[in-house]
């Protein structure tokens, strides 16, 4: 299969049963994407495939053949934080950090698709991402903050 | 967990998919949002997957007197499109799973999976939709109500694909899909697909179907009949509400007991009918 991940093209052979998250972590060494529940619930493994957020534990790697993938590693460049990452940092939007990569990728998806974000809208759109530290308040604040920064 | 070893076939068109499925132990993969979790848990262990997820010929929404929806149309596509006279579809699609699931999952996959708590089966049953099914023998049509046979069971045989769904627009109907969940992202404890047509204060037609209350979508014709040709007074509504739980014995599970589900059905129907009456 061939995929473009964070702008880099890769070609590899995979078994059909290989999950996208395992392909990213084990074959490409992109371990920023986490495996949380492994049952399509928690969203820690969220990545973008052709611009839309998906749970990479619930997609076969082969389904991504020929597509473009963005993972948390692709959000920043030159060691500079992306505005969403900076907003998460400034708003103390992470505790243990395990859900953070998925949260930020999902936030990136939300912010590139929704202009008028309300707190309610943000809460609805991240309901597929679980933070087991229950730090939702600051996560929601961070996403709203990032939205303001990106518009400014 | 990894699925068991499996073969993968990606057909170029529906014909090739059907040809491959004949005589092979194969499962159709569309978005995979129900299938992949079942493969991972090894509840299902087919020999092959036939990936129809990217067949452009199956992904479309054609509006008209009758709207047809291709089976690999994704939830987010339906959630972002208002179809005149079928607003309930957009309404239901925007409540399936979560954003990530809606980005990948397909309407045909959800319908073929026939989870007794999923959203679309009740909606398409209320809409009197027609399922259009293709096999190498040709096309056949079936009413949604007959298509769903039981939990995770439809009338599809292993050589058939649900190709599209055909629905007549319910022009002038107030329509809504509501679901009650205990936690964000859960399947419905109880879901209600409701459409009523009110003309000069009188209910001309009513469609009432529930999900999560039995082994397949439950259309309550008794409740519908209680409000047809009425002015939807409080007493008409309470008769319909009582009728809605007759003839159904919802399951008890970790999400709620049978009696609790019945109470939720009643409350959901009562509130929704009152809202529709008050808005007209």
């Amino acid at each position: 299969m061939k995929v473009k991940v964070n702008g880099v093209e890769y070609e590899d052979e995979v078994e059909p049963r290989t999950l996208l998250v395992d392909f990213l972590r084990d074959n490409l060494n992109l371990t920023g994407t986490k495996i949380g529940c492994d049952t399509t619930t928690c969203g820690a493994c969220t990545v973008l495939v052709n611009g839309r957020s998906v749970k990479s534990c619930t997609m076969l790697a082969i389904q991504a053949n020929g597509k473009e993938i963005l993972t948390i590693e692709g959000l920043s460049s030159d060691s500079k934080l992306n505005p969403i990452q900076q907003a998460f940092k400034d708003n103390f939007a992470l505790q243990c950090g395990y859900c953070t990569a998925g949260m930020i990728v999902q936030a990136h998806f939300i912010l590139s698709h929704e202009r008028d974000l309300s707190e309610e809208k943000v809460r609805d759109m991240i309901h597929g991402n679980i933070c087991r530290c229950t730090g939702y308040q600051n996560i929601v604040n961070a996403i709203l903050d990032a939205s303001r920064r990106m518009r400014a | 967990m990894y699925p068991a070893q499996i073969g993968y076939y990606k057909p170029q068109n529906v014909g090739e998919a059907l040809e491959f499925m004949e005589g092979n132990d194969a499962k159709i993969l569309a978005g995979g949002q129900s299938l992949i979790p079942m493969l991972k848990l090894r509840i299902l262990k087919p020999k092959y997957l036939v990936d129809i997820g990217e067949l452009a010929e199956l992904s479309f929404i054609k509006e008209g007197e009758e709207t047809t929806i291709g089976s690999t149309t994704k939830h987010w596509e339906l959630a972002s499109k208002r179809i005149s006279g079928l607003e309930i579809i957009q309404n239901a699609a925007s409540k399936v799973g979560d954003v990530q699931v809606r980005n990948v999952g397909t309407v045909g996959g959800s319908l073929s999976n026939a989870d007794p708590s999923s959203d679309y089966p009740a909606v398409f049953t209320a809409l009197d939709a027609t399922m259009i099914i293709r096999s190498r023998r040709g096309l056949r049509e079936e009413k949604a109500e007959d298509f769903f046979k039981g939990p995770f069971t439809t009338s599809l045989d292993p050589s058939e694909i649900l190709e599209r769904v055909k629905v007549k627009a319910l022009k002038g109907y107030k329509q809504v899909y509501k679901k009650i969940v205990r936690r964000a992202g859960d399947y419905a404890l109880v879901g209600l697909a409701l459409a009523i047509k009110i003309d000069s204060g009188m209910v001309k037609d009513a469609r009432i179907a529930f999900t999560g209350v039995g082994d397949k979508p439950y259309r309550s014709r008794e409740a519908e009949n209680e409000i047809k040709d009425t002015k939807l007074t409080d007493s008409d509504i309470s008769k319909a509400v009582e009728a809605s739980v007759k003839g159904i014995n919802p399951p008890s599970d970790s999400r709620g007991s049978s009696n609790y589900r019945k109470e939720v059905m009643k409350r959901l129907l009562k509130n929704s009918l009152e809202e529709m009456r008050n808005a007209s």
Side-chain angles (χ1 to χ4, degrees):
Chain A
M1 62 178 279
K2 275 186 192 172
V3 275
K4 199 182 218 180
V5 183
N6 304 330
V8 180
E9 295 209 28
Y10 295 89
E11 199 173 331
D12 208 345
E13 270 185 30
V14 294
E15 273 191 78
R17 64 171 171 166
T18 305
L19 300 165
L20 179 58
V21 69
D22 294 316
F23 174 75
L24 293 170
R25 289 176 54 86
D26 300 342
N27 295 42
L28 305 188
N29 250 337
L30 293 169
T31 52
T33 304
K34 302 301 179 214
I35 302 174
C37 69
D38 202 16
T39 58
T40 337
T41 308
C42 80
C45 63
T46 300
V47 301
L48 300 194
V49 176
N50 280 359
R52 300 205 76 91
S53 60
V54 308
K55 293 183 177 176
S56 58
C57 77
T58 309
M59 179 174 268
L60 301 173
I62 192 73
Q63 284 177 284
N65 186 22
K67 295 181 180 162
E68 286 194 29
I69 296 171
L70 180 81
T71 70
I72 186 74
E73 288 92 344
L75 272 182
S76 56
S77 54
D78 298 334
S79 303
K80 273 205 336 221
L81 295 182
N82 145 305
I84 305 171
Q85 293 171 315
Q86 190 63 49
F88 267 64
K89 184 177 175 223
D90 296 345
N91 287 275
F92 306 100
L94 52 148
Q95 293 179 51
C96 85
Y98 204 84
C99 71
T100 308
M103 282 286 181
I104 289 177
V105 173
Q106 179 63 10
H108 176 73
F109 175 75
I110 297 170
L111 292 169
S112 49
H113 282 82
E114 295 286 333
R115 277 198 203 116
D116 296 313
L117 274 180
S118 59
E119 179 178 338
E120 203 189 338
K121 185 96 196 166
V122 170
R123 285 183 182 273
D124 181 44
M125 292 192 77
I126 60 165
H127 96 227
N129 293 74
I130 293 174
C131 165
R132 232 27 331 169
C133 309
T134 69
Y136 296 106
Q137 191 58 54
N138 288 353
I139 291 170
V140 172
N141 290 344
I143 296 174
L144 290 169
D145 188 17
S147 148
R148 281 187 294 270
R149 292 179 195 205
M150 289 163 80
R151 254 181 296 162
Chain B
M1 193 160 110
Y2 265 34
Q5 278 196 332
I6 200 161
Y8 176 86
Y9 176 65
K10 191 166 181 179
Q12 297 304 308
N13 53 55
V14 178
E16 282 185 15
L18 292 169
E19 196 177 332
F20 186 88
M21 283 158 58
E22 196 122 308
N24 270 325
D25 172 23
K27 267 270 171 198
I28 295 169
L29 171 67
Q33 299 302 287
S34 308
L35 180 60
I36 293 174
M38 287 195 272
L39 295 173
K40 288 170 73 177
L41 292 170
R42 306 200 180 191
I43 293 169
L44 291 175
K45 281 197 246 178
K47 258 205 170 117
Y48 297 99
L49 294 175
V50 179
D51 186 357
I52 64 165
E54 280 174 75
L55 292 182
E57 63 184 299
L58 293 180
S59 177
F60 57 84
I61 304 169
K62 275 191 205 128
E63 274 183 85
E65 249 330 275
E66 288 195 310
T67 291
T68 49
I69 301 170
S71 61
T72 64
T73 306
K74 294 187 168 73
H75 307 311
W76 72 267
E77 294 171 299
L78 287 170
S80 41
K81 188 165 175 70
R82 184 179 175 279
I83 306 171
S84 171
L86 294 171
E87 291 81 3
I88 194 172
I89 296 177
Q90 178 180 35
N91 190 210
S94 67
K95 293 177 184 168
V96 174
D98 53 44
V99 172
Q100 290 97 320
V101 168
R102 295 198 288 272
N103 278 340
V104 189
T106 68
V107 61
S110 173
L111 290 168
S112 307
N113 185 48
D115 187 306
S117 297
S118 67
D119 305 300
Y120 294 126
V123 171
F124 286 96
T125 298
L127 289 171
D128 273 333
T130 304
M131 312 307 220
I132 299 174
I133 296 157
R134 185 177 289 280
S135 71
R136 294 189 83 192
R137 303 180 292 278
L139 284 176
R140 70 178 177 94
E141 296 194 353
E142 189 154 52
K143 286 272 153 214
E145 214 169 350
D146 304 320
F147 178 76
F148 300 105
K149 297 291 184 203
F152 304 98
T153 311
T154 65
S155 76
L156 289 172
D157 78 34
S159 67
E160 294 180 316
I161 291 180
L162 174 61
E163 187 178 84
R164 58 203 140 103
V165 182
K166 188 169 73 177
V167 203
K168 267 202 194 95
L170 296 184
K171 289 260 158 64
Y173 284 66
K174 292 176 186 304
Q175 36 192 284
V176 73
Y177 176 73
K178 286 191 186 178
K179 74 169 159 181
I180 302 296
V181 293
R182 296 290 295 267
R183 301 171 305 188
D186 256 357
Y187 274 87
L189 173 78
V190 174
L192 167 67
L194 174 67
I196 57 174
K197 184 170 192 169
I198 302 178
D199 208 353
S200 25
M202 296 289 280
V203 177
K204 294 292 174 200
D205 190 24
R207 311 285 184 83
I208 298 173
F210 291 95
T211 190
V213 302
D215 54 10
K216 55 184 185 178
Y218 175 59
R219 175 127 179 222
S220 177
R221 290 212 158 65
E222 293 90 334
E224 292 174 3
N225 289 334
E226 289 293 349
I227 51 170
K228 271 186 208 163
D229 302 312
T230 71
K231 288 189 173 147
L232 214 53
T233 61
D234 286 345
S235 106
D236 300 326
I237 290 178
S238 69
K239 278 185 209 155
V241 165
E242 286 310 318
S244 71
V245 294
K246 267 189 213 152
I248 185 81
N249 187 21
S252 291
D253 61 22
S254 58
R255 281 180 246 144
S257 68
S258 184
N259 278 335
Y260 180 66
R261 277 194 163 84
K262 279 191 185 175
E263 282 309 310
V264 176
M265 287 170 75
K266 288 158 79 172
R267 211 56 80 80
L268 197 53
L269 183 60
K270 179 173 184 280
N271 292 348
S272 309
L273 285 172
E274 283 174 359
E275 275 165 28
M276 284 186 173
R277 176 187 64 193
N278 299 341
S280 66

